[in-house]
Protein backbone atom coordinates (compact mmCIF):
# COMPACT_ATOMS: atom_id res chain seq x y z
CA UNK A 1 0.00 0.00 0.00
CA UNK A 2 2.81 2.40 0.84
CA UNK A 3 4.42 1.82 -2.58
CA UNK A 4 1.19 2.82 -4.35
CA UNK A 5 1.01 6.08 -2.41
CA UNK A 6 4.62 6.87 -3.31
CA UNK A 7 3.80 6.14 -6.93
CA UNK A 8 1.02 8.78 -6.83
CA UNK A 9 3.19 11.53 -5.34
CA UNK A 10 5.49 13.82 -7.23
CA UNK A 11 8.68 15.17 -5.66
CA UNK A 12 10.11 18.64 -6.21
CA UNK A 13 13.12 17.02 -7.91
CA UNK A 14 10.76 15.37 -10.40
CA UNK A 15 8.93 18.66 -11.00
CA UNK A 16 12.29 20.43 -11.41
CA UNK A 17 13.47 17.88 -13.97
CA UNK A 18 10.22 18.28 -15.91
CA UNK A 19 9.97 22.09 -15.75
CA UNK A 20 13.43 23.01 -16.99
CA UNK A 21 13.84 26.81 -17.33
CA UNK A 22 12.40 28.97 -14.51
CA UNK A 23 12.15 25.97 -12.16
CA UNK A 24 12.23 27.93 -8.90
CA UNK A 25 9.53 30.34 -10.06
CA UNK A 26 7.19 27.49 -10.95
CA UNK A 27 7.95 25.46 -7.83
CA UNK A 28 6.93 28.44 -5.68
CA UNK A 29 3.60 28.60 -7.51
CA UNK A 30 3.13 24.81 -7.47
CA UNK A 31 3.37 24.73 -3.65
CA UNK A 32 0.13 26.73 -3.53
CA UNK A 33 -1.72 24.02 -5.45
CA UNK A 34 -0.98 21.07 -3.19
CA UNK A 35 -1.81 21.36 0.50
CA UNK A 36 -1.36 18.24 2.63
CA UNK A 37 -1.23 16.15 -0.54
CA UNK A 38 -4.57 17.43 -1.82
CA UNK A 39 -4.63 19.34 -5.10
CA UNK A 40 -6.68 22.51 -5.18
CA UNK A 41 -6.91 25.50 -7.46
CA UNK A 42 -5.50 28.80 -6.28
CA UNK A 43 -5.62 31.90 -8.47
CA UNK A 44 -2.21 33.19 -9.48
CA UNK A 45 -1.07 35.56 -12.21
CA UNK A 46 1.18 34.58 -15.08
CA UNK A 47 2.34 37.45 -17.32
CA UNK A 48 3.52 35.35 -20.28
CA UNK A 49 0.12 33.61 -20.36
CA UNK A 50 -1.53 37.04 -20.41
CA UNK A 51 0.69 38.61 -23.06
CA UNK A 52 1.37 35.65 -25.38
CA UNK A 53 -0.96 32.90 -24.14
CA UNK A 54 -1.02 30.68 -27.21
CA UNK A 55 2.75 30.85 -27.61
CA UNK A 56 3.35 30.22 -23.90
CA UNK A 57 1.19 27.09 -24.06
CA UNK A 58 3.21 25.83 -27.03
CA UNK A 59 6.48 26.79 -25.34
CA UNK A 60 5.56 24.72 -22.28
CA UNK A 61 4.38 21.79 -24.46
CA UNK A 62 0.72 22.00 -23.49
CA UNK A 63 -0.53 21.31 -26.99
CA UNK A 64 -4.15 20.44 -26.21
CA UNK A 65 -4.58 23.64 -24.19
CA UNK A 66 -2.93 25.60 -27.03
CA UNK A 67 -5.54 24.27 -29.48
CA UNK A 68 -8.40 25.01 -27.07
CA UNK A 69 -7.07 28.52 -26.44
CA UNK A 70 -6.58 29.17 -30.16
CA UNK A 71 -10.19 28.16 -30.86
CA UNK A 72 -11.54 30.23 -27.98
CA UNK A 73 -9.76 33.41 -29.06
CA UNK A 74 -11.51 33.10 -32.44
CA UNK A 75 -14.98 33.21 -30.82
CA UNK A 76 -16.43 36.64 -29.97
CA UNK A 77 -16.78 37.24 -26.20
CA UNK A 78 -15.16 33.87 -25.44
CA UNK A 79 -11.87 35.43 -26.55
CA UNK A 80 -11.97 38.03 -23.78
CA UNK A 81 -12.84 35.37 -21.19
CA UNK A 82 -10.00 33.14 -22.42
CA UNK A 83 -7.54 36.04 -22.46
CA UNK A 84 -8.33 36.86 -18.82
CA UNK A 85 -8.79 33.28 -17.55
CA UNK A 86 -5.53 31.84 -18.89
CA UNK A 87 -3.17 34.10 -16.89
CA UNK A 88 -5.19 33.45 -13.72
CA UNK A 89 -5.22 29.68 -14.18
CA UNK A 90 -2.07 29.19 -16.28
CA UNK A 91 0.22 28.18 -13.43
CA UNK A 92 -2.38 25.67 -12.22
CA UNK A 93 -2.86 24.25 -15.72
CA UNK A 94 0.89 23.83 -15.99
CA UNK A 95 1.03 22.20 -12.55
CA UNK A 96 -1.68 19.70 -13.53
CA UNK A 97 0.01 19.04 -16.88
CA UNK A 98 3.41 18.47 -15.27
CA UNK A 99 2.00 16.26 -12.53
CA UNK A 100 0.00 14.15 -14.99
CA UNK A 101 3.02 13.63 -17.24
CA UNK A 102 5.32 12.81 -14.32
CA UNK A 103 2.86 10.27 -12.92
CA UNK A 104 2.48 8.73 -16.38
CA UNK A 105 6.25 8.32 -16.65
CA UNK A 106 6.45 6.89 -13.14
CA UNK A 107 3.75 4.36 -14.03
CA UNK A 108 5.43 3.32 -17.28
CA UNK A 109 8.93 3.34 -15.82
CA UNK A 110 8.47 2.39 -12.15
CA UNK A 111 12.10 1.52 -11.50
CA UNK A 112 15.30 3.40 -12.13
CA UNK A 113 16.16 7.05 -12.56
CA UNK A 114 13.33 8.86 -14.29
CA UNK A 115 14.75 12.38 -13.99
CA UNK A 116 16.48 12.16 -17.39
CA UNK A 117 13.25 10.97 -19.01
CA UNK A 118 11.33 13.81 -17.36
CA UNK A 119 13.80 16.44 -18.52
CA UNK A 120 13.49 15.17 -22.10
CA UNK A 121 9.69 14.94 -21.96
CA UNK A 122 9.17 18.29 -20.24
CA UNK A 123 11.12 21.48 -20.54
CA UNK A 124 10.37 23.90 -23.31
CA UNK A 125 10.13 24.07 -27.08
CA UNK A 126 13.12 26.20 -28.09
CA UNK A 127 11.63 26.95 -31.51
CA UNK A 128 8.51 28.70 -30.18
CA UNK A 129 9.99 32.17 -29.48
CA UNK A 130 11.50 32.42 -32.97
CA UNK A 131 8.33 31.23 -34.71
CA UNK A 132 6.18 33.49 -32.51
CA UNK A 133 8.26 36.53 -33.44
CA UNK A 134 8.21 35.73 -37.15
CA UNK A 135 4.44 35.11 -37.16
CA UNK A 136 3.80 38.29 -35.15
CA UNK A 137 5.91 40.41 -37.51
CA UNK A 138 4.19 38.88 -40.55
CA UNK A 139 0.75 39.54 -39.00
CA UNK A 140 1.74 43.14 -38.26
CA UNK A 141 2.84 43.75 -41.86
CA UNK A 142 -0.33 42.11 -43.19
CA UNK A 143 -2.37 44.43 -40.95
CA UNK A 144 -0.46 47.50 -42.16
CA UNK A 145 -0.77 46.40 -45.78
CA UNK A 146 -4.51 45.82 -45.36
CA UNK A 147 -4.89 49.25 -43.76
CA UNK A 148 -2.96 50.92 -46.61
CA UNK A 149 -4.91 49.07 -49.31
CA UNK A 150 -8.26 49.87 -47.69
CA UNK A 151 -7.35 53.58 -47.54
CA UNK A 152 -6.67 53.69 -51.29
Amino acid sequence: MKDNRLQLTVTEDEFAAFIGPKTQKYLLKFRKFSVDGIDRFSATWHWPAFLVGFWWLLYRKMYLWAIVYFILVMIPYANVAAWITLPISGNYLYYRHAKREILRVKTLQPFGDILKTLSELGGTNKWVPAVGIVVSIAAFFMFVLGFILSAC
Side-chain angles (χ1 to χ4, degrees):
M1 183 70 149
K2 194 173 188 180
D3 291 336
N4 287 341
R5 186 188 299 177
L6 286 175
Q7 191 69 9
L8 296 176
T9 61
V10 177
T11 67
E12 283 200 355
D13 287 341
E14 292 165 343
F15 272 125
F18 185 85
I19 293 169
K22 310 272 185 185
T23 297
Q24 291 307 314
K25 179 186 109 173
Y26 283 107
L27 287 177
L28 282 172
K29 301 289 185 182
F30 286 6
R31 288 182 191 122
K32 296 178 182 181
F33 305 135
S34 181
V35 178
D36 296 328
I38 298 171
D39 288 352
R40 64 179 178 86
F41 173 77
S42 179
T44 60
W45 188 259
H46 196 276
W47 280 106
F50 178 70
L51 298 172
V52 289
F54 173 74
W55 298 108
W56 174 74
L57 291 165
L58 286 179
Y59 182 69
R60 285 292 170 180
K61 300 182 180 181
M62 294 191 284
Y63 305 116
L64 179 60
W65 283 112
I67 292 167
V68 169
Y69 185 77
F70 184 80
I71 291 168
L72 286 174
V73 297
M74 298 298 164
I75 302 170
Y77 303 109
N79 56 7
V80 175
W83 186 51
I84 297 302
T85 303
L86 182 60
I88 293 170
S89 62
N91 286 312
Y92 184 71
L93 291 176
Y94 188 47
Y95 166 77
R96 295 296 304 245
H97 169 73
K99 186 174 181 179
R100 182 177 50 252
E101 291 298 311
I102 292 167
L103 291 174
R104 185 175 65 81
V105 168
K106 288 174 81 168
T107 302
L108 296 174
Q109 185 179 333
F111 303 107
D113 183 24
I114 65 165
L115 297 182
K116 184 175 190 288
T117 304
L118 292 175
S119 66
E120 292 169 358
L121 178 66
T124 58
N125 282 315
K126 306 284 189 258
W127 56 268
V128 170
V131 171
I133 290 169
V134 168
V135 168
S136 298
I137 291 170
F140 174 76
F141 281 117
M142 288 172 41
F143 172 77
V144 170
L145 182 62
F147 182 74
I148 292 170
L149 291 176
S150 69
C152 294

